[in-house]
Amino acid sequence: MLNPDGIEINKNKVGIYHTHTCESYTPSEMYSYEMTGNFRTTDLNYSVAKVGDELENQLKSYNIEVVHDKTLHDYPAYNGSYSRSLLTAEGMLRTNTDMDIIFDLHRDAIADSTYAPKVKIGEEYASQIMFVIGSNGSNPIHSNWNANLKFAIKVQQKANELYPRTI
């Protein structure tokens, strides 16, 4: 099951959405924004949606079509954001039947920066990528969970090949 060889994925169209669209980063003098919560903002130029924009731009540079939904699922209420984003994801898949890949892109924070997993790429540090894969033991049952796991492993293998040193 952990062998990703032979997995076939339509990479022509990718979906991106954000359960916690308002997740933001530490403001700085150069990147100051109005907070609408603790490390949260509705200004999409300073939230995880901006990371989604960058991912979208990179994918498009490889001629991959991207559907990027920036619905605020976590504002004004954080509770219920997963239920609201599930509707978005289902709608994206329903209207884009040729889409095999869909990412719920988050900004996960760890207060202790000595623990935060990162990788050095050139002279810059980047956060670790984490994939969360549902299984057929969850509710509702995800019949394709093992294909999702294989896909994540394939992406991880490529990332390890390109950027082998973690700090």
Side-chain angles (χ1 to χ4, degrees):
M1 176 174 43
L2 297 179
N3 181 0
D5 293 338
I7 186 169
E8 300 220 7
I9 299 165
N10 173 6
K11 299 179 286 200
N12 296 325
K13 187 184 285 187
V14 172
I16 303 169
Y17 72 104
H18 313 275
T19 293
H20 301 134
T21 317
C22 297
E23 290 177 325
S24 62
Y25 300 87
T26 304
S28 66
E29 189 174 311
M30 202 165 139
Y31 300 102
S32 181
Y33 60 88
E34 182 179 332
M35 285 194 185
T36 51
N38 192 17
F39 294 104
R40 311 191 84 64
T41 184
T42 56
D43 185 339
L44 298 181
N45 289 309
Y46 297 98
S47 78
V48 72
K50 186 69 172 176
V51 177
D53 290 341
E54 293 302 319
L55 176 58
E56 177 181 1
N57 291 337
Q58 285 297 310
L59 292 170
K60 284 181 174 178
S61 75
Y62 291 96
N63 295 317
I64 297 171
E65 187 179 344
V66 178
V67 177
H68 185 189
D69 188 290
K70 300 178 195 177
T71 300
L72 301 180
H73 300 106
D74 57 340
Y75 184 85
Y78 185 83
N79 287 344
S81 53
Y82 279 101
S83 297
R84 289 187 292 276
S85 71
L86 176 60
L87 297 175
T88 295
E90 289 172 341
M92 290 172 75
L93 293 171
R94 193 171 38 257
T95 58
N96 298 279
T97 56
D98 56 342
M99 182 185 298
D100 279 351
I101 303 169
I102 185 167
F103 293 104
D104 181 1
L105 191 59
H106 288 256
R107 181 263 323 144
D108 286 338
I110 299 174
D112 180 0
S113 63
T114 61
Y115 170 77
K118 56 189 170 186
V119 63
K120 189 171 185 181
I121 301 172
E123 295 302 313
E124 297 187 41
Y125 290 94
S127 298
Q128 172 180 289
I129 296 173
M130 177 174 52
F131 293 95
V132 179
I133 309 296
S135 72
N136 63 354
S138 59
N139 188 10
I141 292 181
H142 298 284
S143 58
N144 293 330
W145 74 272
N146 51 358
N148 292 341
L149 177 60
K150 287 181 180 190
F151 171 72
I153 290 169
K154 196 168 196 156
V155 172
Q156 181 180 347
Q157 286 175 340
K158 188 63 175 179
N160 288 342
E161 175 188 321
L162 294 171
Y163 311 107
R165 290 191 57 214
T166 57
I167 302 296

